Structure formats: structure tokens, C-alpha cells
Amino acid sequence: MKKEKTYFVCQECGYSSPKWLGRCPSCGAWNSMVEEKEIRSLSGRVEIKTTPKPLHLWEEQRAIRLSTGFESLDYALGGGIVKGQVLLLAGEPGIGKSTLLLQVCEGFSKLYGPVLYVSGEESPSQIALRAKRLRVGSESLLVFPETNLEEILQTLREERPSLLVVDSVQTLYSSSLESSPGSVAQVRECTFRLSEVCKELNIPVFLVGQVNKEGVLAGPKVLEHIVDTVLYFEGERFNFYRVVKAVKNRFGESGNMAVFRMTGQGLEEVQEPSAFFLQERVGSPGSVVFPHTEGSKPVLLEVQALTIQALYTTPQRKTQGFDPNRLALILAVLEKEAKVFTRDRDVFVNVVGGVSVEEPAVDLAVALSVVSSVKDKPVGDLLIFGELGLSGEVRSVHFAQERLREGLRFGFKRAIVPEGCRVELQGLEVLGVRHIREAIEFII
Ligand code: TYD
Ligand code: MG
């Protein structure tokens, strides 16, 4: 028999080392190494025998799409769920993951037959209470309070549901490992084995992943490469907007999002997100409209900046829905290249609606919203997008046509875009700019 090896695994990033270390050399976290037994037992794993075939024969097994019951979520998933698909729904506690999935289960069970909802976080009576509130109660929605992986796998083989939901993956444990539930080893092993069996049985599965404050998946990023699809559930907890973004998708385009509203009876789909996000916009100085997209379906968002005389020697830079380091860089470019000074001012930037924007196309919108606030001059109904380079140059971005069309659909008449993205569109005056200075000239 082989000697059992132990090793130390960082609970933040999954880095492993044969010795204990006070600080993880990979992610820099302190005191994050936990001793774990080596994962060996490959026995009991399913081996699916496959043979090489030409590509067109593979393609014939075209995926049939199953509906989640929410049109925009289906769209964000590339047309719905595929049998055997492993989806991770990640988000902070209290954002609405269990609510959304219970609603998906209800619709699914009516259309495709029994659904298995495995809950390790809430008791069946708590789920029943929520179900009552959501007015769901399909006979074929089976609730199973279990956290042992082997039990779940067995039940899965017996019941053969049309969909499996595991809420949450951090509560699962496999008897073959000694580490505690929620540890990297457990979360990784459970996800891996669940996805293997779901693929074998052709059952799609939603795994709920709790995310902590820093925005990393607790037990964490290590899951993203195992699953087929990663959905991020975002929004401000005290606000009613919720956004589900497909950040990774092996079965369709990624980057698209579905927008929901949290009501007293669960989540309601927002059909026209652009209208929804702009409905309360007043257009005061510092407010600009940015057509956001990481997929091919843009959504108009309001970006707001507020700048005021700083009280302290180190002025504040605070952002919501936007990277504060990126803001610091934009402020530096504005100062150096356009002589817009903010070093004695506090600067606050907010993307309205709880959406967080990572794509660089938002740079120009942020820069011009800051300028508009500093000069105390509203920009009016103007679409703005473009990436900002360190010398103040405005760079081209993806999906320019789609972004402009979305603006046109909502009655926008003018747009400031990178010169390389300028297109002729009837009814829209598209102003191409090469440098931040040119863009500023248009608004002041
Ligand atoms: P929940 O789905 O439990 O969040 P998660 O599973 O991500 O932790 O949702 C929790 C919040 O949603 C809770 O604060 C109450 C609110 N909520 C509503 O506003 N309306 C509803 O119909 C439901 C079921 C929940
Ligand atoms: Mg929950």
C-alpha cells in the first residue's frame, strides 16, 4: 500500500505545498494553509470510453436547450441549459441565489419532470416557507436536506431528476476525504465528482457558490475551470436590482447578462434593462450614459461622478461598480494630458444599478463624467465609450455597432466614440475622437 501523503493547501487560492507556510507564495494570504491528505482514490470514478471521430460526427449530437423559465437568463446562457451542463451560480450571501434557483426549479419541474433540490444551508421547512412566498409548490420538486456527497450521488442515480440543484457547494463533504466541508480539497473533489456523474447521466446541475466580501469564491477560483459555466449574481443588497452575468460559458457566448428585480414574491425578469437603468437619471453634471457589454447585447448604464473640495490632505477616491485603481490612473491621465486637476478634490464614481463594469470601454465615460463634474457642466443625452491609454489616446473597443444601436433604440442622438469605432448610423451623430482632449472639447 502506498504511504498516505499530507500536504498544505491555501484555502484562498488552492496553492499546495509539502510544508506549512505562514504566507501563501501564490496569493499572499496569511495563515491560509491547512493540512490535507492527498486525494488518491480514483476507484469508483466513472471511465467513459470514447473513440476518435471526425468533427462533423461529433457536431451531429447538437445540444438541445432547456429553458430556465427566464427568457433573458436563457439568452445569457446561449439559448438555455444543455443536458449534463455544470453551472456555478456564485454570489454573496443574501443576494438571492436560492430564490432564483427555486423559481428555476419550479418551471423546470413542470416542463421536464422531477427536479432534485439538495440543500445543505437551509432546512426543508425554511425552504417550504420561501416556496410559499414565491407561490411555488410543484409536486415534482423534490427537496433533499443532505450534505454527504456519496448519498447525493446515489440518490441522483436512483431518482434521475431532470435538474439537480446543490445549495451550496461549500456545505458538501465526501467521506473519502478527511478535511472539513468548505475546504479547498472538499469543494474541489465534490464538484469534480458531481460533474462527472451529472455528465454521465446527462443531468444538468446548478451549484451554488458562496462568495465572501472580497469577491473571491470561498473555496474558491479553483472551481471555475471544472465547471462549464460560471454565473455571477450581483447587485446591491439593499437595492432591488439583481444582475446575473455569464462570465464563462462553454456552451455559448460569455459576457451577457440578465437583469432581475427582487419583489415580495421573488425575482422578476426585467425585459428592457436599458430603460430600467436609466429611468431615474436626471442628467446633472457628472452623469453620462455608457453602453456596456462584454457579450453582444449591450445595456445602457449611467455612470456618475461627484467631485468636491477635499477636506483632508489626501483626497478620497471611492468607487462603486468600478475599479478604484483604474480611477486613479484616469485621474492621472486627465491631469497630465488635459490639465484637468483633481488632486485637491475628493472623487466619487458610481455605476448606477449595482452592476460592476470591468471592461476598459468604460474609461472614456468615467473620464468625461469626472470632467463634467469638475466643470459643473452637464453633458446632456450623449453616449460615451472608449478605452483610455496612458498618453491620453482613445482606443477602439469591441461591439461598437451594437452599442450605438442600443443607444439609438432609446432615442440618443449623439455619441462620442474612439475614431476607430466611428460608423455611419442614420439618426445618430457619431463623433470620433483620437485623444481625451478632443473628447473634452465636445462636452465643454
Ligand atoms: P436568498 O435567495 O436567500 O439569498 P442567497 O441564497 O443568495 O443567500 O435571498 C435572500 C434575500 O432575498 C432576503 O434578504 C429576502 C429577499 N427576498 C425577497 O425580497 N423576496 C422574496 O420573495 C424572497 C424569497 C426573498
Ligand atoms: Mg441561499
Side-chain angles (χ1 to χ4, degrees), residues 93-94 96-99 117 121-122 130 167-168 208 210:
K97 299 181 294 299
S98 305
T99 305
Y117 187 101
E121 298 215 332
E122 290 166 308
R130 176 181 297 120
D167 191 356
S168 67
V208 170
Q210 299 289 9

Side-chain angles (χ1 to χ4, degrees), residues 91-100 121-122 130 133-134 167 208 210 233 237 242 262-267:
E92 285 182 21
I95 202 81
K97 299 181 294 299
S98 305
T99 305
L100 177 70
E121 298 215 332
E122 290 166 308
R130 176 181 297 120
R133 189 166 170 192
L134 300 175
D167 191 356
V208 170
Q210 299 289 9
F233 206 148
R237 205 162 150 191
R242 298 288 184 271
M262 184 60 100
T263 71
Q265 287 92 44
L267 290 154

Side-chain angles (χ1 to χ4, degrees), residues 103-309:
Q103 288 178 270
V104 169
C105 283
E106 171 82 356
F108 225 84
S109 66
K110 283 184 181 153
L111 279 177
Y112 311 110
V115 167
L116 188 63
Y117 187 101
V118 174
S119 175
E121 298 215 332
E122 290 166 308
S123 67
S125 56
Q126 281 172 308
I127 298 170
L129 210 67
R130 176 181 297 120
K132 204 167 158 196
R133 189 166 170 192
L134 300 175
R135 303 203 179 97
V136 305
S138 160
E139 279 292 309
S140 35
L141 170 53
L142 310 171
V143 176
F144 187 33
E146 181 58 71
T147 52
N148 180 265
L149 177 73
E150 285 74 21
E151 290 288 335
I152 295 168
L153 293 182
Q154 200 190 337
T155 310
L156 198 60
R157 288 186 187 282
E158 287 161 8
E159 299 283 343
R160 304 275 170 132
S162 66
L163 174 72
L164 171 70
V165 170
V166 177
D167 191 356
S168 67
V169 70
Q170 278 98 355
T171 60
L172 296 187
Y173 74 96
S174 161
S175 313
S176 69
L177 294 183
E178 281 181 13
S179 40
S180 54
S183 65
V184 169
Q186 283 286 9
V187 168
R188 194 165 39 189
E189 171 79 357
C190 291
T191 304
F192 189 71
R193 288 196 26 217
L194 259 174
S195 61
E196 246 179 1
V197 175
C198 283
K199 293 239 178 280
E200 181 205 342
L201 302 178
N202 248 336
I203 298 170
V205 53
F206 268 107
L207 304 169
V208 170
Q210 299 289 9
V211 167
N212 59 19
K213 275 246 162 53
E214 289 79 46
V216 277
L217 263 172
K221 288 276 175 196
V222 286
L223 288 190
E224 294 199 351
H225 70 275
I226 306 179
V227 302
D228 297 315
T229 304
V230 180
L231 300 171
Y232 268 92
F233 206 148
E234 297 172 348
E236 290 156 43
R237 205 162 150 191
F238 300 103
N239 206 330
F240 52 82
Y241 317 107
R242 298 288 184 271
V243 173
V244 178
K245 245 188 207 173
V247 294
K248 164 185 168 176
N249 193 5
R250 282 185 189 148
F251 294 104
E253 181 186 58
S254 64
N256 283 317
M257 62 189 192
V259 181
F260 295 90
R261 182 187 342 213
M262 184 60 100
T263 71
Q265 287 92 44
L267 290 154
E268 212 178 84
E269 209 167 5
V270 173
Q271 302 289 356
E272 281 289 3
S274 297
F276 186 68
F277 286 124
L278 297 185
Q279 66 189 353
E280 289 174 316
R281 176 172 183 253
V282 277
S284 33
S287 157
V288 309
V289 175
F290 165 63
H292 170 50
T293 188
E294 282 161 26
S296 59
K297 200 178 171 196
V299 172
L300 303 182
L301 295 175
E302 179 183 0
V303 175
Q304 293 181 331
L306 174 67
T307 64
I308 53 159
Q309 195 66 41

